[in-house]
Amino acid sequence: GQNIDQPTEMTATEGAIVQINCTYQTSGFNGLFWYQQHAGEAPTFLSYNVLDGLEEKGRFSSFLSRSKGYSYLLLKELQMKDSASYLCAVRDQGGSYIPTFGRGTSLIVHP
Amino acid sequence: DARVTQTPRHKVTEMGQEVTMRCQPILGHNTVFWYRQTMMQGLELLAYFRNRAPLDDSGMPKDRFSAEMPDATLATLKIQPSEPRDSAVYFCASGLVFGAIDEQFFGPGTRLTVL
């Protein structure tokens, strides 16, 4: 199984940059996902990392260091609509190929 | 635009009653998941199917929960009898596991309240 740790809550200002960290412990590693979930809605896929380094997608970037068991999601030019929960999910090398979700980080963006 | 659908969106019931939740996965996806989300526990995997076969339901209380996939267009999650602690949002998701990235597409969820 996996242990996944994320901060419970973060606040940031509109227009700023925020970094949401995720640390994990897993027996083998086979990919890390970030999902966004607005209040009262379903999670939606943001990014996937399986190799070390930074994956950039518009205002959002995701970084992975497999040796450190660490990932972060970087959100630039924050907008009010970015207020949401951000879920880190890690997949191990077990045969199920199914990721385990962390508890999520609730991000509040204020003016 | 393909999406996962779930019914009902909201359900309020009394303790002891049977609850059935339904999900239509995205056509062509080979894996269907059932999750439960609460403030206390976060998103928990209850069960999942691959090519309609149940692969893992270890996250599900077996005495009261059951999950089935009678055909490729329908997955069901049943609780009988329901208890107040079952109150949560239940999400169905589907995906093409062993695809390029294997992201999951979530349905809108069923918000269940058991009184």
Side-chain angles (χ1 to χ4, degrees), chain A residues 33 35 37 40-43 45 48 87 91 95-99 101 103, chain B residues 33 35 37 39-42 48 50 91 97-98 101-104 106-107:
Chain A
F33 301 79
Y35 283 78
Q37 185 177 22
E41 298 183 10
F45 170 80
Y48 172 72
L87 306 170
R91 185 167 62 193
S96 75
Y97 223 62
I98 302 301
F101 282 83
R103 296 288 301 277
Chain B
F33 308 83
Y35 289 93
Q37 188 174 43
M39 290 293 291
M40 295 297 293
Q41 300 296 329
Y48 74 97
R50 182 157 298 144
F91 287 106
V97 179
F98 304 125
I101 291 178
D102 303 345
E103 66 181 281
Q104 295 179 36
F106 284 78

Side-chain angles (χ1 to χ4, degrees), chain B residues 54-73:
Chain B
L55 285 194
D56 186 354
D57 60 1
S58 59
M60 218 162 60
K62 304 279 192 315
D63 56 336
R64 298 185 300 108
F65 285 58
S66 61
E68 294 180 350
M69 198 160 176
D71 63 60
T73 65

Side-chain angles (χ1 to χ4, degrees), chain A residues 19-36:
Chain A
Q19 178 175 310
I20 302 174
N21 295 327
C22 172
T23 58
Y24 63 88
Q25 294 174 315
T26 183
S27 51
F29 174 83
N30 197 5
L32 185 144
F33 301 79
W34 284 97
Y35 283 78
Q36 180 190 58

Side-chain angles (χ1 to χ4, degrees), chain A residues 53-65:
Chain A
L54 190 68
E55 295 279 341
E56 297 188 72
K57 196 186 288 186
R59 293 188 300 113
F60 291 10
S61 303
S62 56
F63 171 83
L64 174 68
S65 169

